[in-house]
Amino acid sequence: MVKTSLLSDNIMFLQIKKLSKGYRKGDTRIIALDQINLNVEQGEFIALTGPSGSGKTTLLNIIGGLDNQDAGQILIEGQVQTKGCDAESAFWRAQNIGFVFQFSNLLPYLSAAQNVELPLLLTSLSSKKRRERVSAALELVGLADRASHYPNELSGGQEQRVAIARAFVSSPKLMLCDEPTGDLDRESAKSILNLLNTLKTEFKKTIIMVTHDMIAAEATDRRIELYKGKLTQAIVSSEISPFSDKER
């Protein structure tokens, strides 16, 4: 991930400028993203919504440096981001971006603690410091007592909590979540969304979440709607949490 500094005072945390991406399917060119412009403030929790094929995951992957755009720019704290597969790029992503996916993608032969520790293996932290961070992350997600358990010994909601601890353990500035509640029941989904909101409010993390779930989208600060690769509208979420004690 090559970074060119464009830092200035009062810079927006994340800037997306005229971002476009297309794919070839036979003789047809599919437009995944079409001239997307978007600003995200530090500490903001954003939901990306829209029908399947609207470009949500493509946008998330480009922001995270997992894919390249055809045109346009993404800047994080004023630094231009491009995809990179080298060790330096992997190190930068491990330090600055946490990824959470629909399926936890935990390694089945590693314990919860070992799975959470994985991003820290790319850092220069000592084994003692890594253990301390892993313990703190598992404590945060309420699974300190499950540190030695393997994925097949955890519920779906617990697995996703471990995945969030893994994304959070390196203290990234930006967390990218692709359908983090998509494979969970409503109560487990509520728990995950409350946890993400804790990371936003208490740790000032910037979170961008792809979701098809409108209840989940209402738990964020702002909903960005995509349709056929175009940003159609931005909606400020209700002041009333969808997971308040009141019946909806």
Side-chain angles (χ1 to χ4, degrees), residues 120 125 129-138 169-171:
L120 299 180
L125 290 173
K129 289 292 184 182
R130 293 200 304 269
R131 287 195 300 271
E132 289 173 353
R133 285 216 188 177
V134 168
S135 295
L138 286 172
V169 72
S170 59
S171 193

Side-chain angles (χ1 to χ4, degrees), residues 222-238:
R222 184 160 53 117
R223 175 162 64 91
I224 306 298
E225 188 174 288
L226 293 171
Y227 182 70
K228 293 185 177 179
K230 290 183 178 291
L231 193 157
T232 61
Q233 57 183 316
I235 303 167
V236 177
S237 297
S238 170

